[in-house]
Structure formats: structure tokens, C-alpha cells
């Protein structure tokens, strides 16, 4: 079984952005050393607990600090960006790190309405870019190719390319949390990943639609997908659940409309009061996550892979830390990767 990593670059209450980035760099190096297949970073904006705002910047940094595994976006939220800008960024990343770059693309803005207006409105982008998402995907593929795109200008042969002389291209993945993306990925013959770690709802249906409707693409002759899941692994189940609690509470606040803050330390999360609705969200999230001892967590990963018929699982190591932890480290996140690797590799 192949294992990969999703990283939102979480920011704890004891961390600065610099601390969180240092911890994630060390986490990526741990994953690289252990033999993980790929390491993806997300795009979220104006969130106190998430430092992953710019996937290309993070990918450049992480790829330069690792040597083997693929580094990619999980994902670039395309409505926020001009297709040419995305194509240029990832063409350069691929040139710098050939054969190691994944371009995962999503259709959602990945931000609240106010942030979205500041991010997209200033660039003259609006919901028409969401509607044009399928065409923009095609544009990116064409722009990153060695031949580029011929622009129909009268009496002129004008070729537009993301980079002057591409030798290889990033692997393009379509991301989604609805059946819309499953249908689109199947129609375009693209690899596809459903955001199972986010809600755990609709995964089986989305993957069924993708597989049943898949049309072979130029670089993807057969359906290609994997599973994402939140994970915390520790020496005991009680410790794993304690390290998981702050992440679950953050999701509960998000789902119930409360303001989000940085990710709590374990001791603070254990003292935080919750409404009945929030407790229900926490309990549901705990059931969906891979959490427990190394042996139990490995069995949960195997069971998920069998249930959804995938041979790769991407874990989002969401463990926080206890008071007194060095802010520039994330030892519980690194331990999750190390303990899973010992059981599954």
C-alpha cells in the first residue's frame, strides 16, 4: 500500500506562522525519509489555524527541502487564479523538480465571501470563473504542454506557452467534494480525489460515478484515485484521541458558525465547553478519523482502502501538541507518520 500526506500547515496557539512552516518542513522531510509517495499542501485563506495560503510557494519550498517524493497542491482553487498564472507557476516547478510535481485543482474558492472578494474581486474575477472551470482546466493542460496554445489573432501566428521549452509536465489531478467533480474528471480522463477527510459523506458514490463514467485520457488510461483521511497515531488510543480533540473542536466551531481561532493545545481543548451540536460534530469526526495505536490505525487504513478499492491512502496528520512543546516542531504529527509507516511499509 502507498501512503501520502496532506498538510494544511496548521497553526497552534503557541505558534507563529514561521513556527508552523518550520514544523511542516520537518514533517515533509520525515515523510520523504520514510518513503511516503506524495506530499500535498492546501489553499485556504484568512484562517487563524491554517498557514497554507499559497500552494506554489509552499511547493517550491518543500520540494527544495526534500529529495524523492512528489510534492503537490491539494489543491489550487482555480476560480481564484488566472489559468495562465497557474500554468506558469507549475511549469516552472516541474522544470525545477522534474517528475516530482502534482497539480491538484479544485473548483471551490476556499475562503469566506469577504476574503473571496478581496482575493478575486481585485483581479476582476467572479463566479463566471466557477462556471468556466471545465474550460479553464483545458487551458491549463494546453498551456503547460511543450506545444502551447495557438491564439486566434487575425493574420498572425501567436503561440502562448506557460514556459519556453517544457520537457515534462506536472501530473494534473481534479479534486472535489461533490459528484460534479467526479463526472468532470471522468469525462476529461483525469486522476480524481474526493475530499473524504473533510466530511466523509458521498465518497462511495463519487468514486463509483468516476469509475463507471471514466474515459481514458492522454496520460491516464485507467481511473486513478486515492483516499484522504484525518489521522492521529500514538502509543495509546487515549493519547491519540487527546491529540485529535483540538482539530475536531475546530471543525465543530466551523460547522456551527463560531469564530475560528488557532488550533488549541491539548490541555486547553480538554477544558473548552461545547454545545450539544458541537459535541455531535466532534463525535462524528472521531468516528471518521484514523485514530489509535499503530496496529489499530494501520488496520483502519487497510479497511478504508478495501472499502473504497484504492491502493493509496493520503493521511492528514492532524495531531496538535501538549503545553511545553517546542513551537517550531510538531512531534505528534511526525509520530503519526512514523508509526503508520512502520506498520504499513
Amino acid at each position: 500500500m502507498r501512503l501520502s500526506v496532506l498538510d494544511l500547515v496548521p497553526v497552534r496557539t503557541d505558534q507563529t506562522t514561521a513556527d508552523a512552516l518550520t514544523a511542516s518542513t520537518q514533517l515533509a522531510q520525515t515523510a520523504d525519509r520514510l518513503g511516503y509517495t506524495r506530499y500535498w499542501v492546501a489553499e485556504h485563506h484568512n484562517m487563524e489555524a491554517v498557514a497554507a495560503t499559497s500552494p506554489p510557494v509552499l511547493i517550491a519550498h518543500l520540494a527544495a527541502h526534500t529529495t524523492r517524493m512528489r510534492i503537490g497542491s491539494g489543491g489550487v482553487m482555480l476560480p481564484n487564479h488566472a489559468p495562465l498564472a497557474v500554468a506558469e507557476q507549475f511549469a516552472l516547478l516541474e522544470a525545477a523538480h522534474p517528475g516530482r510535481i502534482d497539480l491538484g485543482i479544485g473548483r471551490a474558492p476556499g475562503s469566506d465571501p469577504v476574503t473571496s472578494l478581496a482575493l478575486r474581486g481585485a483581479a476582476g474575477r467572479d463566479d463566471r470563473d466557477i462556471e468556466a472551470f471545465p474550460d479553464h482546466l483545458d487551458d491549463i493542460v494546453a498551456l503547460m504542454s511543450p506545444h502551447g496554445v495557438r491564439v486566434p489573432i487575425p493574420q498572425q501566428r501567436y503561440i502562448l506557452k506557460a514556459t519556453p521549452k517544457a520537457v515534462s509536465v506536472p501530473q494534473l489531478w481534479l479534486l472535489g467534494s461533490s459528484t460534479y467533480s467526479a463526472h468532470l474528471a471522468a469525462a476529461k480522463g483525469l486522476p480524481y480525489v474526493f475530499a473524504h477527510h473533510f466530511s466523509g459523506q458521498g465518497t462511495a458514490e463519487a468514486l463509483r460515478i468516476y469509475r463507471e463514467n471514466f474515459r481514458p485520457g492522454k496520460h491516464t488510461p485507467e481511473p486513478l484515485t486515492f483516499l484522504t483521511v484525518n489521522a492521529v497515531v500514538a502509543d495509546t488510543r487515549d493519547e491519540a484521541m487527546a491529540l485529535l480533540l483540538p482539530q475536531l473542536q475546530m471543525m465543530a466551531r466551523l460547522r456551527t458558525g463560531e469564530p475560528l481561532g488557532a488550533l488549541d493545545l491539548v490541555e486547553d481543548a480538554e477544558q473548552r465547553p461545547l454545545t450539544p451540536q458541537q459535541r455531535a460534530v466532534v463525535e462524528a469526526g472521531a468516528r471518521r478519523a484514523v485514530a489509535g495505536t499503530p496496529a489499530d490505525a494501520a488496520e483502519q487504513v487497510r479497511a478504508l482502502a478495501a472499502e473504497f478499492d484504492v491502493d493509496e491512502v493520503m493521511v492528514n496528520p492532524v495531531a496538535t501538541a501538549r503545553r511545553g512543546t517546542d513551537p517550531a516542531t510538531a512531534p505528534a504529527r511526525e509520530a503519526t507518520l512514523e508509526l503508520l509507516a512502520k506498520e504499513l511499509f
Side-chain angles (χ1 to χ4, degrees):
M1 177 184 295
R2 294 191 300 272
L3 289 177
S4 295
V5 181
L6 173 65
D7 187 4
L8 275 62
V9 192
V11 183
R12 307 188 306 256
T13 54
D14 64 331
Q15 290 179 311
T16 64
T17 301
D19 292 330
L21 287 171
T22 299
S24 279
T25 303
Q26 294 169 357
L27 185 70
Q29 291 172 328
T30 296
D32 197 44
R33 170 177 56 82
L34 292 170
Y36 280 73
T37 299
R38 68 188 88 240
Y39 194 102
W40 282 8
V41 293
E43 178 186 340
H44 293 289
H45 300 280
N46 199 36
M47 296 180 68
E48 293 282 342
V50 177
T53 57
S54 178
V57 172
L58 279 173
I59 290 167
H61 173 75
L62 295 175
H65 284 80
T66 54
T67 60
R68 183 202 55 81
M69 65 185 175
R70 300 185 68 89
I71 310 291
S73 56
V76 168
M77 300 295 102
L78 189 53
N80 297 333
H81 312 283
L84 177 58
V86 174
E88 288 179 334
Q89 291 160 357
F90 279 81
L92 279 177
L93 288 168
E94 176 66 21
H97 306 280
R100 292 186 58 206
I101 302 300
D102 291 336
L103 171 51
I105 294 181
R107 180 171 170 261
S111 61
D112 62 83
V114 175
T115 305
S116 183
L117 180 63
L119 184 68
R120 298 164 63 203
R125 310 188 68 78
D126 55 34
D127 286 349
R128 288 173 295 181
D129 294 292
I130 297 176
E131 297 167 5
F133 181 70
D135 293 333
H136 287 173
L137 275 178
D138 294 339
D139 292 341
I140 287 174
V141 172
L143 287 164
M144 290 192 304
S145 73
H147 304 295
V149 177
R150 183 170 182 175
V151 180
I153 298 177
Q155 299 179 335
Q156 186 176 355
R157 187 177 184 273
Y158 192 96
I159 303 298
L160 186 60
K161 294 182 179 182
T163 196
K165 215 166 190 178
V167 176
S168 60
V169 296
Q171 185 173 44
L172 184 64
W173 293 76
L174 187 57
L175 316 182
S177 57
S178 70
T179 57
Y180 170 90
S181 296
H183 280 290
L184 184 60
K188 291 187 177 295
L190 292 172
Y192 172 67
V193 180
F194 185 85
H196 179 80
H197 70 282
F198 186 70
S199 68
Q201 303 294 319
T203 306
E205 181 185 9
L207 294 185
R208 177 189 60 78
I209 288 171
Y210 171 64
R211 287 166 173 148
E212 289 181 355
N213 295 279
F214 184 82
R215 300 175 184 174
K218 180 179 179 181
H219 301 291
T220 314
E222 297 178 349
L224 180 59
T225 187
F226 57 76
L227 180 72
T228 62
V229 65
N230 293 330
V232 178
V233 187
D235 290 334
T236 68
R237 176 168 175 77
D238 285 347
E239 179 64 5
M241 297 308 295
L243 291 164
L244 173 61
L245 183 61
Q247 166 70 17
L248 297 177
Q249 291 184 350
M250 185 182 71
M251 290 305 300
R253 293 194 295 274
L254 177 66
R255 299 277 170 81
T256 56
E258 284 198 8
L260 298 180
L263 201 62
D264 280 339
L265 298 172
V266 169
E267 294 84 352
D268 297 324
E270 290 174 336
Q271 300 302 315
R272 182 182 286 274
L274 300 176
T275 67
Q277 185 180 3
Q278 289 171 339
R279 281 196 295 271
V281 174
V282 166
E283 291 167 1
R287 289 192 296 270
R288 290 194 303 271
V290 166
T293 64
D296 288 345
E299 184 54 38
Q300 293 169 45
V301 169
R302 292 190 190 99
L304 281 169
E307 179 182 356
F308 296 106
D309 191 22
V310 296
D311 59 8
E312 180 176 341
V313 174
M314 175 172 276
V315 296
N316 179 19
V318 294
T320 184
R322 291 187 175 275
R323 191 168 287 114
T325 300
D326 181 347
T329 67
R333 301 181 77 212
E334 291 188 33
T336 291
L337 300 190
E338 291 170 347
L339 295 172
L340 269 183
K342 287 179 181 178
E343 294 287 331
L344 293 171
F345 289 162

